Amino acid sequence: MDDDLSPEIILQNLKTQFIGQKIIYFPILDSTMEAARREALWGAEAGTVIIAEQQSGGRGRLQRKWISPRGGLALSIILRPNIDHLPYMIMISSLAVVNSIQAITSLNPQIKWPNDILINEKKICGILIENDLRQNSLHHAIIGIGINVNMHISDYPEIASFATSLSDQIGREVSKLDLLRQVLIEMERLYQLLSQKEYILAQWKDNLITLGQSIEINMGNKIYKGIAESVSKEGNLLLRQKNGTLVRIVAGDVTLR
Ligand code: BT5
């Protein structure tokens, strides 16, 4: 299945008010994050979406590489949320992807804190959020979403042991167009609920596979071990260490022990 992701086709019947109403499409691009940043600095409206069929320099956190061939979905959404809502952006983005995959495939994805979506414990999607903060105001936020849709993960040995794709999971190809439209609709629905912080937090917590697990967190120069006990209202992970102390983890890489 090789869906046409051109803006005209995406926009047909797209029932959103602003997210995705402007789409900038590239058959191939270095990274949608870079293109979105340029557009945002030139004043692009909130809701503008940059989409690439394929990325040559797709990236994750800390400049890690994101493998982004034609079978994947790679997009960045430019938003200008209220600064108080910034901690909730990762929650609504993750929930938008989980709900959309459920709606399109009946698979049951889960969220691995802080920014991965897993199916059967393997990574299907990564989310990257970059905020342009200036003193106490936010110029823009960019939500980058990469989903492995129609890919044979065994073709990518670097990630084959811990990643998966929707087509590998269900044994047939999935419409990238339907999935993309659903992600945009869900993103907007949840964005409009941002003032209901408790509801968003509760939904996110319900889908977090990490809670209750014995984990190891690599923070670059330090490794913490313990039980992932809960998350704070800002989305930080609260880790109960063996000595009983509770540490608040803002960002890091989690490994299940
Ligand atoms: C992420 O980072 O998971 C965020 C990825 C965001 C990608 C999107 S695509 C659209 C937009 N444009 C971009 O340039 N980026 C965003 P992180 O948690 O740092 O994970 C990165 C790690 O995931 C890599 O070091 C690999 O181990 C692994 N990885 C790379 N490609 C993958 C893939 N296609 N599927 C699963 N895992 C992958």
Side-chain angles (χ1 to χ4, degrees):
M1 191 183 302
D2 212 6
D3 288 333
D4 184 345
L5 290 183
S6 69
E8 299 73 44
I9 303 220
I10 298 167
L11 282 168
Q12 274 170 18
N13 298 320
L14 179 67
K15 294 189 182 69
T16 59
Q17 282 164 19
F18 77 109
I19 295 188
Q21 288 301 324
K22 177 163 184 218
I23 291 185
I24 305 174
Y25 164 86
F26 297 87
I28 181 159
L29 188 64
D30 50 353
S31 159
T32 57
M33 297 307 279
E34 284 309 304
R37 196 170 61 88
R38 286 192 294 270
E39 291 293 332
L41 292 175
W42 288 332
E45 298 146 63
T48 301
V49 171
I50 316 296
I51 178 152
E53 294 281 3
Q54 195 179 340
Q55 296 180 109
S56 52
R59 59 169 204 254
R61 292 175 299 156
L62 311 169
Q63 302 299 321
R64 287 187 287 223
K65 185 177 164 198
W66 181 257
I67 294 176
S68 191
R70 259 193 85 81
L73 195 57
L75 66 142
S76 292
I77 308 173
I78 299 170
L79 291 169
R80 296 201 164 80
N82 180 322
I83 203 163
D84 295 346
H85 293 153
L86 278 186
Y88 298 85
M89 298 308 287
I90 186 65
M91 302 180 200
I92 63 164
S93 315
S94 312
L95 286 168
V97 171
V98 166
N99 295 345
S100 301
I101 292 178
Q102 264 169 358
I104 300 287
T105 67
S106 310
L107 288 165
N108 198 17
Q110 283 169 307
I111 303 169
K112 178 180 163 200
W113 187 91
N115 68 325
D116 291 348
I117 312 293
L118 310 185
I119 292 181
N120 292 326
E121 294 174 17
K122 295 198 161 175
K123 184 160 172 173
I124 192 97
C125 165
I127 298 175
L128 177 66
I129 300 191
E130 292 179 348
N131 298 320
D132 183 340
L133 279 161
R134 304 179 183 185
Q135 286 156 350
N136 283 332
S137 78
L138 175 78
H139 186 268
H140 62 261
I142 298 173
I143 318 300
I145 300 176
I147 309 179
N148 300 329
V149 186
N150 299 320
M151 291 160 62
H152 292 294
I153 287 293
S154 55
D155 292 344
Y156 306 92
E158 313 97 285
I159 56 169
S161 63
F162 57 82
T164 188
S165 70
L166 295 178
S167 59
D168 277 357
Q169 287 292 317
I170 60 173
R172 63 171 167 83
E173 294 206 338
V174 170
S175 162
K176 281 175 40 173
L177 183 60
D178 290 349
L179 182 64
L180 170 64
R181 284 216 190 97
Q182 195 68 35
V183 168
L184 300 176
I185 291 168
E186 269 300 293
M187 207 44 214
E188 183 168 291
R189 186 181 72 81
L190 291 160
Y191 190 83
Q192 286 167 340
L193 292 175
L194 271 173
S195 56
Q196 298 179 35
K197 293 179 179 169
E198 281 165 19
Y199 170 79
I200 300 285
L201 184 66
Q203 291 279 310
W204 184 62
K205 268 169 114 169
D206 273 356
N207 287 277
L208 264 184
I209 196 178
T210 319
L211 295 186
Q213 306 256 24
S214 176
I215 59 170
E216 222 175 80
I217 301 194
N218 189 337
M219 305 262 293
N221 53 0
K222 203 160 178 207
I223 291 184
Y224 291 93
K225 294 179 184 175
I227 307 281
E229 192 166 287
S230 188
V231 280
S232 70
K233 61 179 187 336
E234 303 82 19
N236 300 334
L237 190 68
L238 303 175
L239 184 80
R240 181 73 63 185
Q241 293 177 294
K242 222 177 181 171
N243 65 9
T245 52
L246 197 61
V247 257
R248 176 187 286 257
I249 315 277
V250 178
D253 287 313
V254 171
T255 317
L256 295 182
R257 284 198 292 158

